[in-house]
Amino acid sequence: MTTTKTIILAAAACLLAPGLLAAQPAAQLPGPPPSSPAAAPREPDAIPLYGDKTPGSAASEVWSAASAGAPTMVRNVTRPTLTPVLPDPAKATGAAVIVAPGGAFMALAMDHEGWQVARALAARGIAAFVLKYRLIQTPADPAETMKFMGEMMRKEIANPMEGELMRRTQAPADARAALAMVRANAQRWHVDPARVGIIGFSAGAMTARRVGLDPDPAARPAFVGYIYGPQDAETVPADAPPLFDAIALDDALFPNKGFPIAQAWLAARRPVEIHGYQRGNHGFGLGQPGQTTVLMLDEFVAWLSMQGFLTRKDSK
């Protein structure tokens, strides 16, 4: 279990109103495992998202790792970047996916929901681009951070898509910039600008959903992977991109409400696929051993293929 995931769930366990989780007795919120500060990893391929005008500094970042492992989580990101993870040209499909990790807009699970996902997509012939988006700033002390995150989450857990975190975050702006960057550099990265989508996890899913429903159709991704995001409905336009919606039915952070957002996509007569896993809780990433969540990425890729997004131009 990643440090990011457990900080978020522990914050929820400590500070959410007990009644919000009472309907989900099987979904236990774990406490945080041992973690330690970590030096920032080398990111030689990371590209400043706004070029010379990219705000912030990498010096603001606070990295940590579970036990004595490699750095996996970052807080206090002020300098957004995009890191390409490209497939073997012989396997490349021409499709591209922005990968948006989660962390309640106050942290990023860079390994669990970023680099690991990108490598898995590249292995399947899909160009992946890990988005390190700007975060709401948190205290330096980890314990104070957990308290701060819990207090922020408590304000909006009943309606997260309209809450203060969603209003304050700059993640959707950074995701739009990432989509624009990949499309502008499509020839350089050997991708089709018409097949650039996004997959997001938790807060990253909320980010993906927000850009997927952007008022400007030209700014939207070609498709949206919505992985354990809140299921609350909102208005979906008739030209919304296809949606892949996956969540565990025992998700403790976003307790089961059914699939209202997928139903909104259906009402708009737009392509949508739903995967409700029996077990997995929140933050399962590429899946937990012994659970069907391990199938999620292959199901997402199969769905992309069914939509025609993985058809190489030279195979038509």
Side-chain angles (χ1 to χ4, degrees):
M1 186 176 295
T2 66
T3 303
T4 301
K5 173 183 173 181
T6 50
I7 283 181
I8 294 168
L9 292 180
C14 292
L15 293 164
L16 291 180
L20 291 174
L21 299 178
Q24 295 291 318
Q28 299 299 315
L29 290 169
S35 63
S36 58
R42 291 183 65 254
E43 297 180 274
D45 299 323
I47 302 168
L49 192 58
Y50 299 96
D52 293 340
K53 297 181 180 180
T54 300
S57 167
S60 68
E61 296 175 3
V62 179
W63 287 84
S64 61
S67 299
T72 58
M73 168 189 146
V74 64
R75 296 186 285 114
N76 294 352
V77 172
T78 60
R79 180 178 181 269
T81 63
L82 193 68
T83 300
V85 181
L86 303 178
D88 181 334
K91 297 175 62 176
T93 61
V97 179
I98 307 298
V99 179
F105 300 114
M106 294 172 281
L108 289 174
M110 291 299 295
D111 185 51
H112 182 63
E113 296 169 349
W115 301 323
Q116 289 184 24
V117 175
R119 290 193 294 267
L121 287 167
R124 292 160 173 79
I126 301 169
F129 299 83
V130 180
L131 176 61
K132 184 166 70 175
Y133 51 85
R134 287 171 288 178
L135 297 173
I136 295 168
Q137 302 299 284
T138 59
D141 179 72
E144 287 299 313
T145 289
M146 189 172 73
K147 180 179 178 182
F148 174 81
M149 290 178 72
E151 290 172 347
M152 292 295 292
M153 292 161 62
R154 182 172 57 184
K155 295 176 182 178
E156 61 189 81
I157 195 66
N159 191 16
M161 291 303 298
E162 302 298 331
E164 182 179 349
L165 290 172
M166 194 79 244
R167 290 194 298 271
R168 288 177 55 180
T169 183
Q170 294 171 303
D174 290 346
R176 292 184 197 100
L179 289 162
M181 175 183 283
V182 174
R183 286 168 173 157
N185 290 275
Q187 186 172 4
R188 169 187 174 187
W189 288 316
H190 305 288
V191 301
D192 181 352
R195 291 188 285 147
V196 181
I198 186 169
I199 185 170
F201 298 77
S202 193
M206 296 165 67
T207 300
R209 172 170 161 179
R210 189 51 67 237
V211 297
L213 298 176
D214 195 284
D216 178 9
R220 296 173 190 159
F223 52 84
V224 174
Y226 191 64
I227 315 302
Y228 42 85
Q231 296 299 304
D232 310 73
E234 66 179 288
T235 301
V236 173
D239 56 352
L243 176 76
F244 179 91
D245 182 6
I247 193 168
L249 299 179
D250 65 347
D251 190 305
L253 190 60
F254 298 131
N256 187 6
K257 297 179 180 179
F259 298 90
I261 189 58
Q263 292 169 337
W265 242 264
L266 283 172
R269 300 183 181 275
R270 297 302 297 145
V272 59
E273 180 155 316
I274 304 168
H275 290 265
Y277 300 106
Q278 179 180 335
R279 290 191 296 119
N281 209 321
H282 192 82
F284 57 75
L286 291 178
Q288 299 294 327
Q291 297 177 356
T292 51
T293 53
V294 297
L295 302 173
M296 184 277 294
L297 195 73
D298 283 332
E299 290 166 343
F300 175 64
V301 172
W303 175 78
L304 290 178
S305 179
M306 184 176 71
Q307 304 300 316
F309 289 116
L310 304 188
T311 303
R312 292 172 57 131
K313 286 186 175 180
D314 57 13
S315 68
K316 293 182 179 179

